Amino acid sequence: MSEAEGSGAEGSKAEESRESRESKESKAERRARADYTGGVYGSLLAASVVVGAGATGPVSRLELVLLLLGTGLVFWIAHVHAELFGARLAQRQLPTWRAALHVCRDEWPIVKAAVPPAVAAAVSPLFGLDARGGAWLALAIAVAGQMGWSAAAARRARAPWFLVAVSAAVNLLLGLLIIVFKIFLEH
């Protein structure tokens, strides 16, 4: 608590007032300042999980789905923990429940980014794909998601279309690097 907020009852009233203002923020206002970094990161993480899952031998569809979702959840928890107990404590701020919920919501795109590749792996038999083909489909979906999240972030930042394209292209190149690693590991 800063000296300006006072101590005791005055400090808690100032904190309650600040939290009340934050809670009145509309969903539209929160979306307007949304940060898609977690989505880009989560998609890159999902692509890496697909590549790593097959590096030691064949992986079943169910194992791949569980690896994608479980890894997304673990990294989400790690990011929430780092924000709440790393960044906030470094600034000498004790996390509140409201702050914890806010950070959980802000970091959730990490998990959301794992869902489309996991679904792709799960439904791949509908397209006549074996487990290996399902992994390739999941990888393609993860890379497409990475490009989509980065383009959305650039558009949200009101970047010109040229920079949106550059952002998507850079993320495509990162995704292609992961695909090259997968090809290299399979041979």
Side-chain angles (χ1 to χ4, degrees):
M1 178 184 316
S2 71
E3 291 179 17
E5 288 178 339
S7 62
E10 291 174 7
S12 65
K13 285 181 184 178
E15 178 70 17
E16 287 174 16
S17 175
R18 184 185 59 75
E19 287 180 0
S20 175
R21 284 190 309 273
E22 288 176 0
S23 68
K24 290 179 182 175
E25 181 181 47
S26 73
K27 286 184 180 180
E29 290 169 324
R30 280 193 302 270
R31 272 193 300 258
R33 62 176 178 73
D35 180 3
Y36 294 127
T37 305
V40 174
Y41 177 78
S43 295
L44 186 62
L45 175 65
S48 300
V49 166
V50 173
V51 170
T56 58
V59 176
S60 74
R61 281 182 192 79
L62 178 60
E63 289 172 325
L64 183 55
V65 168
L66 293 176
L67 276 169
L68 284 163
L69 297 176
T71 303
L73 282 169
V74 167
F75 273 74
W76 171 70
I77 292 167
H79 277 250
V80 169
H81 178 267
E83 176 63 28
L84 288 177
F85 296 101
R88 291 181 188 268
L89 289 180
Q91 298 170 0
R92 300 184 196 261
Q93 295 177 345
L94 291 176
T96 63
W97 281 108
R98 180 158 289 145
L101 291 174
H102 180 77
V103 171
C104 286
R105 182 184 60 237
D106 285 352
E107 298 295 335
W108 192 245
I110 293 171
V111 177
K112 285 172 59 174
V115 172
V119 169
V123 303
S124 62
L126 298 175
F127 302 108
L129 299 173
D130 60 5
R132 186 169 179 241
W136 277 103
L137 178 62
L139 180 56
I141 295 296
V143 171
Q146 185 180 334
M147 292 172 56
W149 282 103
S150 70
R155 283 306 301 151
R156 182 62 49 107
R158 293 187 169 93
W161 284 105
F162 171 76
L163 289 180
V164 172
V166 167
S167 178
V170 166
N171 279 279
L172 174 61
L173 287 174
L174 291 171
L176 291 174
L177 280 173
I178 291 173
I179 290 170
V180 167
F181 292 146
K182 181 164 180 59
I183 292 169
F184 178 74
L185 288 172
E186 285 187 348
H187 293 334

